[in-house]
Amino acid sequence: VKMKQLLEFLIQSVVNYPQEVSIEEKIQGEVVSLAIKANPEDIKVIIGRNGRTIKAIRNLLWVVAAKQGKKINLAIQE
């Protein structure tokens, strides 16, 4: 499973403007850095109430990364 594709699918599933979602991926050794760019109105949706949505997404990606022997770094760019 490619983490960028998984993240893109998850984010596009919850936002109001899925066509404006873009994910930037950088791989440095074992660390995969993913940066989310989305419509400013969707940033609140991605973060969720008390950060619950983004925490759940981070946990899913963390599990996938751990199975591949990698570490994940997730950021939201405004």
Side-chain angles (χ1 to χ4, degrees):
V1 178
K2 297 227 176 180
M3 283 178 266
K4 180 179 177 179
Q5 292 169 326
L6 175 63
L7 180 61
E8 209 164 33
F9 171 76
L10 292 170
I11 298 294
Q12 287 178 345
S13 298
V14 298
V15 297
N16 296 318
Y17 304 99
Q19 69 280 4
E20 294 185 36
V21 172
S22 70
I23 311 293
E24 195 176 300
E25 181 179 43
K26 289 182 184 165
I27 301 171
Q28 298 170 329
E30 294 180 358
V31 180
V32 178
S33 296
L34 297 166
I36 303 164
K37 287 183 185 171
N39 184 301
E41 291 179 30
D42 286 332
I43 298 296
K44 294 181 285 196
V45 177
I46 294 168
I47 294 170
R49 189 171 287 159
N50 295 327
R52 287 188 189 143
T53 306
I54 196 67
K55 281 180 191 170
I57 291 170
R58 271 196 178 108
N59 285 340
L60 274 171
L61 289 173
W62 184 80
V63 169
V64 172
K67 284 188 174 188
Q68 295 177 4
K70 297 191 184 290
K71 294 178 178 152
I72 194 88
N73 185 9
L74 184 61
I76 299 173
Q77 295 181 343
E78 292 185 44

